[in-house]
Amino acid sequence: MIANSPYVLVLYSGMPAKDVKELIALAKTKPGVLNYGSAGPASLAHLAGALFATLSDIELTHIPYKSSAQSVID
């Protein structure tokens, strides 16, 4: 291992899902409708989101930003 980088899953307050289990269930009913942002293609956040989607067997849409700060603000 070269590095360790913790991540936090943050949802929009208007989202009907209140925990990870509910988020996965919601995503399964709406494949490709739910989005997640990152600092761009191949960034650690992008890869973490893709891994989460793969392990959860869900389809999420990646929205690349120019920086992590921009994705957090949106």
Side-chain angles (χ1 to χ4, degrees):
M1 179 184 301
I2 296 173
N4 185 1
S5 182
Y7 279 88
V8 177
L9 177 64
V10 180
L11 300 177
Y12 165 68
S13 62
M15 182 73 106
K18 299 303 177 201
D19 59 31
V20 175
K21 187 175 181 179
E22 289 179 10
L23 175 64
I24 293 169
L26 179 64
K28 286 187 183 227
T29 64
K30 298 179 176 190
V33 173
L34 300 181
N35 303 326
Y36 73 98
S38 79
S43 66
L44 290 178
H46 173 217
L47 298 176
L51 179 62
F52 172 71
T54 298
L55 294 175
S56 302
D57 195 29
I58 58 177
E59 185 181 332
L60 301 173
T61 300
H62 174 239
I63 307 297
Y65 286 82
K66 291 184 180 182
S67 72
S68 295
Q70 289 177 330
S71 68
V72 171
I73 291 169
D74 275 356

Short mmCIF file of all heavy atoms in Angstrom, two decimals:
data_model
loop_
_atom_site.label_atom_id
_atom_site.label_comp_id
_atom_site.label_asym_id
_atom_site.label_seq_id
_atom_site.Cartn_x
_atom_site.Cartn_y
_atom_site.Cartn_z
N MET A 1 0.84 -1.17 0.00
CA MET A 1 0.00 0.00 0.00
C MET A 1 0.89 1.24 0.00
O MET A 1 1.84 1.32 0.77
CB MET A 1 -0.92 0.00 1.23
CG MET A 1 -1.79 1.22 1.28
SD MET A 1 -2.84 1.39 2.73
CE MET A 1 -3.81 -0.07 2.66
N ILE A 2 0.56 2.17 -0.84
CA ILE A 2 1.31 3.41 -0.93
C ILE A 2 0.68 4.49 -0.06
O ILE A 2 1.36 5.25 0.59
CB ILE A 2 1.38 3.89 -2.40
CG1 ILE A 2 2.17 2.89 -3.23
CG2 ILE A 2 2.00 5.27 -2.49
CD1 ILE A 2 2.16 3.17 -4.70
N ALA A 3 -0.66 4.55 -0.07
CA ALA A 3 -1.34 5.61 0.68
C ALA A 3 -2.70 5.11 1.13
O ALA A 3 -3.23 4.11 0.64
CB ALA A 3 -1.50 6.84 -0.20
N ASN A 4 -3.28 5.85 2.05
CA ASN A 4 -4.61 5.58 2.54
C ASN A 4 -5.38 6.89 2.51
O ASN A 4 -4.89 7.90 3.00
CB ASN A 4 -4.52 5.04 3.97
CG ASN A 4 -5.86 4.61 4.51
OD1 ASN A 4 -6.88 4.68 3.85
ND2 ASN A 4 -5.85 4.15 5.75
N SER A 5 -6.55 6.89 1.88
CA SER A 5 -7.32 8.13 1.74
C SER A 5 -8.78 7.85 2.09
O SER A 5 -9.48 7.19 1.33
CB SER A 5 -7.20 8.64 0.31
OG SER A 5 -7.89 9.85 0.17
N PRO A 6 -9.26 8.36 3.22
CA PRO A 6 -10.66 8.11 3.59
C PRO A 6 -11.62 8.93 2.72
O PRO A 6 -11.27 10.01 2.25
CB PRO A 6 -10.71 8.57 5.04
CG PRO A 6 -9.62 9.57 5.17
CD PRO A 6 -8.54 9.15 4.21
N TYR A 7 -12.80 8.41 2.51
CA TYR A 7 -13.84 9.10 1.75
C TYR A 7 -15.13 9.11 2.56
O TYR A 7 -15.37 8.24 3.37
CB TYR A 7 -14.09 8.42 0.39
CG TYR A 7 -13.07 8.84 -0.62
CD1 TYR A 7 -11.87 8.18 -0.75
CD2 TYR A 7 -13.31 9.95 -1.42
CE1 TYR A 7 -10.93 8.60 -1.66
CE2 TYR A 7 -12.36 10.37 -2.34
CZ TYR A 7 -11.18 9.69 -2.45
OH TYR A 7 -10.26 10.11 -3.35
N VAL A 8 -15.96 10.10 2.27
CA VAL A 8 -17.25 10.24 2.94
C VAL A 8 -18.32 10.31 1.86
O VAL A 8 -18.16 11.00 0.85
CB VAL A 8 -17.29 11.54 3.78
CG1 VAL A 8 -18.64 11.75 4.41
CG2 VAL A 8 -16.20 11.53 4.84
N LEU A 9 -19.40 9.59 2.07
CA LEU A 9 -20.53 9.64 1.15
C LEU A 9 -21.50 10.69 1.68
O LEU A 9 -21.99 10.59 2.80
CB LEU A 9 -21.21 8.27 1.08
CG LEU A 9 -22.46 8.17 0.22
CD1 LEU A 9 -22.13 8.45 -1.24
CD2 LEU A 9 -23.09 6.81 0.37
N VAL A 10 -21.76 11.71 0.87
CA VAL A 10 -22.64 12.81 1.27
C VAL A 10 -23.79 12.87 0.27
O VAL A 10 -23.57 12.87 -0.94
CB VAL A 10 -21.89 14.16 1.28
CG1 VAL A 10 -22.81 15.29 1.69
CG2 VAL A 10 -20.68 14.08 2.20
N LEU A 11 -25.01 12.94 0.79
CA LEU A 11 -26.19 13.01 -0.07
C LEU A 11 -26.86 14.36 0.07
O LEU A 11 -26.85 14.97 1.13
CB LEU A 11 -27.20 11.92 0.31
CG LEU A 11 -26.74 10.48 0.20
CD1 LEU A 11 -27.84 9.55 0.68
CD2 LEU A 11 -26.35 10.16 -1.22
N TYR A 12 -27.47 14.81 -1.00
CA TYR A 12 -28.30 16.02 -1.01
C TYR A 12 -29.41 15.82 0.02
O TYR A 12 -30.02 14.75 0.11
CB TYR A 12 -28.83 16.22 -2.42
CG TYR A 12 -29.96 17.19 -2.55
CD1 TYR A 12 -29.75 18.55 -2.31
CD2 TYR A 12 -31.22 16.78 -2.90
CE1 TYR A 12 -30.79 19.46 -2.43
CE2 TYR A 12 -32.27 17.68 -3.03
CZ TYR A 12 -32.04 19.01 -2.79
OH TYR A 12 -33.06 19.92 -2.90
N SER A 13 -29.71 16.86 0.80
CA SER A 13 -30.69 16.74 1.88
C SER A 13 -32.10 16.40 1.38
O SER A 13 -32.90 15.84 2.12
CB SER A 13 -30.72 18.02 2.71
OG SER A 13 -31.11 19.12 1.91
N GLY A 14 -32.40 16.71 0.14
CA GLY A 14 -33.70 16.40 -0.42
C GLY A 14 -33.82 14.98 -0.97
O GLY A 14 -34.88 14.59 -1.46
N MET A 15 -32.75 14.23 -0.86
CA MET A 15 -32.73 12.86 -1.37
C MET A 15 -33.61 11.96 -0.49
O MET A 15 -33.52 12.03 0.73
CB MET A 15 -31.29 12.34 -1.37
CG MET A 15 -31.13 10.97 -1.91
SD MET A 15 -31.33 10.99 -3.69
CE MET A 15 -29.69 10.79 -4.20
N PRO A 16 -34.47 11.13 -1.09
CA PRO A 16 -35.33 10.27 -0.28
C PRO A 16 -34.56 9.19 0.49
O PRO A 16 -35.05 8.68 1.48
CB PRO A 16 -36.29 9.65 -1.29
CG PRO A 16 -35.71 9.88 -2.63
CD PRO A 16 -34.76 11.03 -2.51
N ALA A 17 -33.37 8.85 0.06
CA ALA A 17 -32.56 7.85 0.76
C ALA A 17 -31.88 8.48 1.97
O ALA A 17 -31.28 9.55 1.86
CB ALA A 17 -31.51 7.27 -0.19
N LYS A 18 -31.96 7.83 3.10
CA LYS A 18 -31.38 8.36 4.34
C LYS A 18 -30.17 7.57 4.82
O LYS A 18 -29.52 7.95 5.77
CB LYS A 18 -32.43 8.40 5.45
CG LYS A 18 -33.63 9.29 5.11
CD LYS A 18 -33.20 10.72 4.80
CE LYS A 18 -34.38 11.57 4.39
NZ LYS A 18 -34.00 12.75 3.64
N ASP A 19 -29.86 6.45 4.17
CA ASP A 19 -28.67 5.68 4.50
C ASP A 19 -28.20 4.94 3.25
O ASP A 19 -28.84 5.02 2.19
CB ASP A 19 -28.92 4.72 5.68
CG ASP A 19 -30.05 3.72 5.43
OD1 ASP A 19 -30.27 3.32 4.27
OD2 ASP A 19 -30.72 3.33 6.40
N VAL A 20 -27.10 4.24 3.36
CA VAL A 20 -26.50 3.58 2.19
C VAL A 20 -27.42 2.50 1.64
O VAL A 20 -27.57 2.37 0.42
CB VAL A 20 -25.11 3.01 2.53
CG1 VAL A 20 -24.54 2.22 1.36
CG2 VAL A 20 -24.15 4.12 2.92
N LYS A 21 -28.05 1.75 2.51
CA LYS A 21 -28.95 0.68 2.06
C LYS A 21 -30.10 1.27 1.23
O LYS A 21 -30.45 0.74 0.17
CB LYS A 21 -29.49 -0.08 3.27
CG LYS A 21 -30.30 -1.29 2.94
CD LYS A 21 -30.69 -2.04 4.20
CE LYS A 21 -31.50 -3.28 3.87
NZ LYS A 21 -31.86 -4.03 5.07
N GLU A 22 -30.68 2.37 1.70
CA GLU A 22 -31.76 3.02 0.96
C GLU A 22 -31.26 3.62 -0.35
O GLU A 22 -31.98 3.61 -1.35
CB GLU A 22 -32.42 4.10 1.82
CG GLU A 22 -33.24 3.56 2.97
CD GLU A 22 -33.87 4.65 3.82
OE1 GLU A 22 -33.83 5.84 3.42
OE2 GLU A 22 -34.40 4.32 4.89
N LEU A 23 -30.04 4.14 -0.34
CA LEU A 23 -29.46 4.70 -1.57
C LEU A 23 -29.30 3.61 -2.63
O LEU A 23 -29.64 3.82 -3.80
CB LEU A 23 -28.11 5.34 -1.27
CG LEU A 23 -27.33 5.86 -2.49
CD1 LEU A 23 -28.09 7.00 -3.17
CD2 LEU A 23 -25.95 6.31 -2.08
N ILE A 24 -28.80 2.47 -2.24
CA ILE A 24 -28.61 1.36 -3.18
C ILE A 24 -29.96 0.91 -3.73
O ILE A 24 -30.12 0.69 -4.93
CB ILE A 24 -27.84 0.20 -2.53
CG1 ILE A 24 -26.40 0.65 -2.24
CG2 ILE A 24 -27.86 -1.05 -3.40
CD1 ILE A 24 -25.60 -0.31 -1.37
N ALA A 25 -30.96 0.79 -2.85
CA ALA A 25 -32.30 0.38 -3.28
C ALA A 25 -32.87 1.40 -4.27
O ALA A 25 -33.47 1.02 -5.29
CB ALA A 25 -33.22 0.21 -2.08
N LEU A 26 -32.71 2.67 -3.99
CA LEU A 26 -33.19 3.73 -4.88
C LEU A 26 -32.48 3.66 -6.23
O LEU A 26 -33.11 3.76 -7.29
CB LEU A 26 -32.99 5.10 -4.23
CG LEU A 26 -33.42 6.32 -5.05
CD1 LEU A 26 -34.93 6.30 -5.29
CD2 LEU A 26 -33.01 7.60 -4.33
N ALA A 27 -31.18 3.49 -6.21
CA ALA A 27 -30.39 3.43 -7.45
C ALA A 27 -30.80 2.23 -8.30
O ALA A 27 -30.76 2.31 -9.54
CB ALA A 27 -28.91 3.39 -7.13
N LYS A 28 -31.18 1.15 -7.67
CA LYS A 28 -31.60 -0.04 -8.43
C LYS A 28 -32.92 0.20 -9.14
O LYS A 28 -33.18 -0.38 -10.19
CB LYS A 28 -31.68 -1.26 -7.52
CG LYS A 28 -30.30 -1.77 -7.15
CD LYS A 28 -30.35 -3.06 -6.38
CE LYS A 28 -28.94 -3.43 -6.00
NZ LYS A 28 -28.60 -4.79 -6.28
N THR A 29 -33.76 1.08 -8.58
CA THR A 29 -35.04 1.37 -9.23
C THR A 29 -34.90 2.44 -10.31
O THR A 29 -35.80 2.60 -11.13
CB THR A 29 -36.11 1.85 -8.21
OG1 THR A 29 -35.69 3.09 -7.63
CG2 THR A 29 -36.33 0.81 -7.13
N LYS A 30 -33.78 3.18 -10.29
CA LYS A 30 -33.55 4.26 -11.26
C LYS A 30 -32.14 4.17 -11.84
O LYS A 30 -31.31 5.03 -11.59
CB LYS A 30 -33.73 5.62 -10.58
CG LYS A 30 -35.11 5.84 -10.03
CD LYS A 30 -35.21 7.19 -9.36
CE LYS A 30 -36.63 7.43 -8.90
NZ LYS A 30 -36.84 8.79 -8.46
N PRO A 31 -31.85 3.13 -12.62
CA PRO A 31 -30.50 2.97 -13.16
C PRO A 31 -30.05 4.16 -14.00
O PRO A 31 -30.78 4.61 -14.88
CB PRO A 31 -30.57 1.70 -14.00
CG PRO A 31 -31.92 1.13 -13.83
CD PRO A 31 -32.76 2.11 -13.07
N GLY A 32 -28.88 4.70 -13.69
CA GLY A 32 -28.30 5.79 -14.46
C GLY A 32 -28.87 7.16 -14.17
O GLY A 32 -28.41 8.15 -14.72
N VAL A 33 -29.88 7.26 -13.31
CA VAL A 33 -30.52 8.54 -13.01
C VAL A 33 -29.76 9.29 -11.91
O VAL A 33 -29.64 10.51 -11.96
CB VAL A 33 -32.00 8.34 -12.60
CG1 VAL A 33 -32.62 9.62 -12.12
CG2 VAL A 33 -32.78 7.75 -13.77
N LEU A 34 -29.22 8.57 -10.94
CA LEU A 34 -28.49 9.20 -9.84
C LEU A 34 -27.08 9.56 -10.29
O LEU A 34 -26.41 8.78 -10.98
CB LEU A 34 -28.44 8.29 -8.62
CG LEU A 34 -29.80 7.89 -8.04
CD1 LEU A 34 -29.61 6.99 -6.82
CD2 LEU A 34 -30.63 9.10 -7.68
N ASN A 35 -26.62 10.75 -9.91
CA ASN A 35 -25.31 11.25 -10.31
C ASN A 35 -24.37 11.34 -9.12
O ASN A 35 -24.81 11.45 -7.98
CB ASN A 35 -25.44 12.68 -10.87
CG ASN A 35 -26.40 12.76 -12.02
OD1 ASN A 35 -26.52 11.84 -12.81
ND2 ASN A 35 -27.10 13.86 -12.11
N TYR A 36 -23.07 11.31 -9.42
CA TYR A 36 -22.06 11.62 -8.40
C TYR A 36 -20.96 12.43 -9.07
O TYR A 36 -20.68 12.26 -10.25
CB TYR A 36 -21.51 10.35 -7.73
CG TYR A 36 -20.58 9.51 -8.58
CD1 TYR A 36 -19.20 9.62 -8.46
CD2 TYR A 36 -21.08 8.61 -9.52
CE1 TYR A 36 -18.35 8.85 -9.23
CE2 TYR A 36 -20.25 7.84 -10.29
CZ TYR A 36 -18.88 7.96 -10.14
OH TYR A 36 -18.03 7.20 -10.91
N GLY A 37 -20.40 13.35 -8.31
CA GLY A 37 -19.37 14.22 -8.85
C GLY A 37 -17.99 13.88 -8.34
O GLY A 37 -17.84 13.31 -7.27
N SER A 38 -17.00 14.25 -9.12
CA SER A 38 -15.60 14.07 -8.71
C SER A 38 -14.75 15.15 -9.37
O SER A 38 -15.23 15.94 -10.17
CB SER A 38 -15.10 12.69 -9.12
OG SER A 38 -14.76 12.67 -10.50
N ALA A 39 -13.47 15.13 -9.05
CA ALA A 39 -12.53 16.10 -9.61
C ALA A 39 -12.11 15.75 -11.03
O ALA A 39 -11.19 16.33 -11.57
CB ALA A 39 -11.30 16.20 -8.72
N GLY A 40 -12.79 14.80 -11.64
CA GLY A 40 -12.51 14.47 -13.03
C GLY A 40 -12.27 12.99 -13.25
O GLY A 40 -12.14 12.22 -12.30
N PRO A 41 -12.21 12.58 -14.52
CA PRO A 41 -11.99 11.17 -14.85
C PRO A 41 -10.68 10.65 -14.26
O PRO A 41 -9.66 11.34 -14.27
CB PRO A 41 -11.93 11.17 -16.38
CG PRO A 41 -12.65 12.41 -16.79
CD PRO A 41 -12.39 13.41 -15.69
N ALA A 42 -10.74 9.47 -13.73
CA ALA A 42 -9.61 8.76 -13.13
C ALA A 42 -9.12 9.37 -11.82
O ALA A 42 -8.10 8.97 -11.30
CB ALA A 42 -8.46 8.61 -14.12
N SER A 43 -9.85 10.36 -11.28
CA SER A 43 -9.50 10.87 -9.95
C SER A 43 -9.88 9.80 -8.92
O SER A 43 -10.67 8.89 -9.20
CB SER A 43 -10.24 12.18 -9.65
OG SER A 43 -11.64 11.94 -9.56
N LEU A 44 -9.35 9.90 -7.72
CA LEU A 44 -9.67 8.90 -6.71
C LEU A 44 -11.15 8.88 -6.38
O LEU A 44 -11.73 7.81 -6.19
CB LEU A 44 -8.84 9.14 -5.45
CG LEU A 44 -7.34 8.84 -5.59
CD1 LEU A 44 -6.62 9.15 -4.28
CD2 LEU A 44 -7.11 7.40 -5.98
N ALA A 45 -11.79 10.04 -6.35
CA ALA A 45 -13.23 10.08 -6.07
C ALA A 45 -14.03 9.41 -7.20
O ALA A 45 -15.01 8.72 -6.93
CB ALA A 45 -13.68 11.52 -5.87
N HIS A 46 -13.61 9.62 -8.43
CA HIS A 46 -14.28 8.96 -9.56
C HIS A 46 -14.15 7.45 -9.44
O HIS A 46 -15.13 6.71 -9.58
CB HIS A 46 -13.67 9.45 -10.88
CG HIS A 46 -14.19 8.72 -12.08
ND1 HIS A 46 -13.39 8.42 -13.16
CD2 HIS A 46 -15.41 8.22 -12.38
CE1 HIS A 46 -14.10 7.77 -14.07
NE2 HIS A 46 -15.33 7.64 -13.61
N LEU A 47 -12.95 6.99 -9.17
CA LEU A 47 -12.73 5.55 -9.06
C LEU A 47 -13.45 4.96 -7.86
O LEU A 47 -13.99 3.85 -7.92
CB LEU A 47 -11.23 5.26 -8.99
CG LEU A 47 -10.44 5.68 -10.24
CD1 LEU A 47 -8.95 5.44 -10.04
CD2 LEU A 47 -10.94 4.97 -11.48
N ALA A 48 -13.52 5.71 -6.75
CA ALA A 48 -14.25 5.25 -5.57
C ALA A 48 -15.74 5.12 -5.88
O ALA A 48 -16.39 4.15 -5.49
CB ALA A 48 -14.02 6.19 -4.40
N GLY A 49 -16.30 6.10 -6.59
CA GLY A 49 -17.70 6.04 -6.99
C GLY A 49 -17.98 4.87 -7.92
O GLY A 49 -18.99 4.18 -7.79
N ALA A 50 -17.09 4.65 -8.87
CA ALA A 50 -17.24 3.54 -9.81
C ALA A 50 -17.15 2.20 -9.07
O ALA A 50 -17.91 1.27 -9.36
CB ALA A 50 -16.18 3.62 -10.90
N LEU A 51 -16.24 2.10 -8.11
CA LEU A 51 -16.11 0.88 -7.32
C LEU A 51 -17.36 0.65 -6.49
O LEU A 51 -17.88 -0.47 -6.42
CB LEU A 51 -14.87 0.95 -6.42
CG LEU A 51 -14.62 -0.26 -5.53
CD1 LEU A 51 -14.39 -1.51 -6.36
CD2 LEU A 51 -13.43 -0.01 -4.62
N PHE A 52 -17.88 1.71 -5.86
CA PHE A 52 -19.11 1.60 -5.08
C PHE A 52 -20.25 1.09 -5.95
O PHE A 52 -21.01 0.19 -5.57
CB PHE A 52 -19.47 2.95 -4.46
CG PHE A 52 -20.81 2.99 -3.79
CD1 PHE A 52 -21.03 2.32 -2.59
CD2 PHE A 52 -21.87 3.70 -4.35
CE1 PHE A 52 -22.27 2.34 -1.98
CE2 PHE A 52 -23.10 3.73 -3.74
CZ PHE A 52 -23.31 3.06 -2.55
N ALA A 53 -20.39 1.66 -7.15
CA ALA A 53 -21.46 1.25 -8.07
C ALA A 53 -21.29 -0.22 -8.47
O ALA A 53 -22.26 -0.98 -8.49
CB ALA A 53 -21.48 2.15 -9.30
N THR A 54 -20.07 -0.61 -8.79
CA THR A 54 -19.82 -1.99 -9.20
C THR A 54 -20.11 -2.97 -8.07
O THR A 54 -20.80 -3.98 -8.28
CB THR A 54 -18.35 -2.15 -9.66
OG1 THR A 54 -18.14 -1.30 -10.80
CG2 THR A 54 -18.04 -3.58 -10.04
N LEU A 55 -19.61 -2.68 -6.88
CA LEU A 55 -19.82 -3.58 -5.74
C LEU A 55 -21.28 -3.64 -5.31
O LEU A 55 -21.73 -4.66 -4.78
CB LEU A 55 -18.94 -3.17 -4.56
CG LEU A 55 -17.43 -3.29 -4.77
CD1 LEU A 55 -16.68 -2.74 -3.57
CD2 LEU A 55 -17.04 -4.74 -5.02
N SER A 56 -22.02 -2.55 -5.55
CA SER A 56 -23.43 -2.49 -5.17
C SER A 56 -24.36 -2.96 -6.29
O SER A 56 -25.56 -3.03 -6.09
CB SER A 56 -23.80 -1.06 -4.79
OG SER A 56 -23.00 -0.59 -3.76
N ASP A 57 -23.78 -3.25 -7.46
CA ASP A 57 -24.54 -3.66 -8.64
C ASP A 57 -25.59 -2.62 -9.01
O ASP A 57 -26.77 -2.93 -9.23
CB ASP A 57 -25.18 -5.03 -8.42
CG ASP A 57 -25.68 -5.65 -9.72
OD1 ASP A 57 -25.09 -5.36 -10.78
OD2 ASP A 57 -26.65 -6.41 -9.68
N ILE A 58 -25.15 -1.34 -9.06
CA ILE A 58 -26.01 -0.24 -9.45
C ILE A 58 -25.35 0.55 -10.57
O ILE A 58 -24.15 0.40 -10.80
CB ILE A 58 -26.33 0.70 -8.26
CG1 ILE A 58 -25.06 1.28 -7.65
CG2 ILE A 58 -27.19 -0.01 -7.23
CD1 ILE A 58 -25.28 2.27 -6.52
N GLU A 59 -26.13 1.38 -11.25
CA GLU A 59 -25.60 2.22 -12.32
C GLU A 59 -25.74 3.69 -11.92
O GLU A 59 -26.85 4.18 -11.72
CB GLU A 59 -26.38 1.96 -13.62
CG GLU A 59 -25.83 2.69 -14.81
CD GLU A 59 -26.65 2.42 -16.07
OE1 GLU A 59 -27.26 1.35 -16.17
OE2 GLU A 59 -26.67 3.31 -16.93
N LEU A 60 -24.60 4.37 -11.76
CA LEU A 60 -24.57 5.78 -11.41
C LEU A 60 -23.96 6.56 -12.57
O LEU A 60 -23.15 6.03 -13.32
CB LEU A 60 -23.73 6.02 -10.15
CG LEU A 60 -24.17 5.29 -8.88
CD1 LEU A 60 -23.15 5.49 -7.78
CD2 LEU A 60 -25.54 5.78 -8.44
N THR A 61 -24.32 7.83 -12.70
CA THR A 61 -23.75 8.69 -13.73
C THR A 61 -22.68 9.57 -13.11
O THR A 61 -22.95 10.29 -12.14
CB THR A 61 -24.86 9.55 -14.38
OG1 THR A 61 -25.84 8.69 -14.95
CG2 THR A 61 -24.28 10.46 -15.45
N HIS A 62 -21.48 9.51 -13.67
CA HIS A 62 -20.37 10.31 -13.18
C HIS A 62 -20.42 11.70 -13.79
O HIS A 62 -20.55 11.86 -15.01
CB HIS A 62 -19.04 9.63 -13.54
CG HIS A 62 -17.85 10.45 -13.21
ND1 HIS A 62 -16.93 10.84 -14.15
CD2 HIS A 62 -17.42 10.96 -12.03
CE1 HIS A 62 -15.98 11.56 -13.57
NE2 HIS A 62 -16.27 11.64 -12.28
N ILE A 63 -20.31 12.73 -12.94
CA ILE A 63 -20.26 14.12 -13.38
C ILE A 63 -18.87 14.66 -13.04
O ILE A 63 -18.57 14.90 -11.87
CB ILE A 63 -21.34 14.99 -12.70
CG1 ILE A 63 -22.72 14.37 -12.85
CG2 ILE A 63 -21.28 16.42 -13.22
CD1 ILE A 63 -23.22 14.26 -14.26
N PRO A 64 -17.98 14.82 -14.03
CA PRO A 64 -16.64 15.32 -13.75
C PRO A 64 -16.61 16.84 -13.58
O PRO A 64 -17.28 17.56 -14.32
CB PRO A 64 -15.83 14.90 -14.97
CG PRO A 64 -16.83 14.76 -16.07
CD PRO A 64 -18.15 14.41 -15.43
N TYR A 65 -15.86 17.30 -12.60
CA TYR A 65 -15.65 18.72 -12.35
C TYR A 65 -14.18 19.04 -12.54
O TYR A 65 -13.35 18.14 -12.62
CB TYR A 65 -16.06 19.08 -10.92
CG TYR A 65 -17.55 19.11 -10.69
CD1 TYR A 65 -18.26 17.94 -10.44
CD2 TYR A 65 -18.25 20.30 -10.72
CE1 TYR A 65 -19.63 17.96 -10.24
CE2 TYR A 65 -19.62 20.34 -10.51
CZ TYR A 65 -20.30 19.17 -10.27
OH TYR A 65 -21.65 19.20 -10.06
N LYS A 66 -13.84 20.33 -12.58
CA LYS A 66 -12.44 20.74 -12.72
C LYS A 66 -11.69 20.62 -11.40
O LYS A 66 -10.47 20.59 -11.39
CB LYS A 66 -12.34 22.16 -13.26
CG LYS A 66 -12.78 22.28 -14.70
CD LYS A 66 -12.59 23.68 -15.23
CE LYS A 66 -13.04 23.76 -16.67
NZ LYS A 66 -12.83 25.10 -17.23
N SER A 67 -12.43 20.57 -10.28
CA SER A 67 -11.79 20.42 -8.98
C SER A 67 -12.76 19.78 -7.99
O SER A 67 -13.97 19.81 -8.20
CB SER A 67 -11.35 21.79 -8.42
OG SER A 67 -12.47 22.54 -8.02
N SER A 68 -12.22 19.23 -6.92
CA SER A 68 -13.06 18.64 -5.88
C SER A 68 -13.94 19.70 -5.23
O SER A 68 -15.10 19.45 -4.89
CB SER A 68 -12.19 17.99 -4.80
OG SER A 68 -11.50 16.91 -5.35
N ALA A 69 -13.39 20.90 -5.06
CA ALA A 69 -14.14 21.98 -4.41
C ALA A 69 -15.42 22.31 -5.18
O ALA A 69 -16.47 22.51 -4.59
CB ALA A 69 -13.26 23.21 -4.28
N GLN A 70 -15.34 22.34 -6.50
CA GLN A 70 -16.52 22.63 -7.31
C GLN A 70 -17.58 21.55 -7.15
O GLN A 70 -18.77 21.86 -7.10
CB GLN A 70 -16.14 22.78 -8.77
CG GLN A 70 -15.39 24.04 -9.09
CD GLN A 70 -14.97 24.10 -10.54
OE1 GLN A 70 -14.73 23.10 -11.18
NE2 GLN A 70 -14.87 25.32 -11.07
N SER A 71 -17.17 20.30 -7.06
CA SER A 71 -18.15 19.23 -6.91
C SER A 71 -18.84 19.31 -5.55
O SER A 71 -20.03 19.04 -5.43
CB SER A 71 -17.51 17.86 -7.12
OG SER A 71 -16.61 17.55 -6.07
N VAL A 72 -18.11 19.70 -4.52
CA VAL A 72 -18.69 19.83 -3.18
C VAL A 72 -19.69 20.98 -3.14
O VAL A 72 -20.78 20.86 -2.56
CB VAL A 72 -17.58 20.03 -2.13
CG1 VAL A 72 -18.18 20.38 -0.77
CG2 VAL A 72 -16.71 18.79 -2.02
N ILE A 73 -19.35 22.09 -3.76
CA ILE A 73 -20.25 23.25 -3.78
C ILE A 73 -21.57 22.90 -4.48
O ILE A 73 -22.64 23.25 -4.00
CB ILE A 73 -19.57 24.46 -4.45
CG1 ILE A 73 -18.44 24.96 -3.56
CG2 ILE A 73 -20.58 25.56 -4.73
CD1 ILE A 73 -17.53 25.97 -4.25
N ASP A 74 -21.47 22.20 -5.61
CA ASP A 74 -22.69 21.80 -6.33
C ASP A 74 -23.45 20.75 -5.57
O ASP A 74 -24.64 20.65 -5.62
CB ASP A 74 -22.35 21.29 -7.73
CG ASP A 74 -22.23 22.40 -8.74
OD1 ASP A 74 -22.47 23.58 -8.39
OD2 ASP A 74 -21.90 22.10 -9.89
#
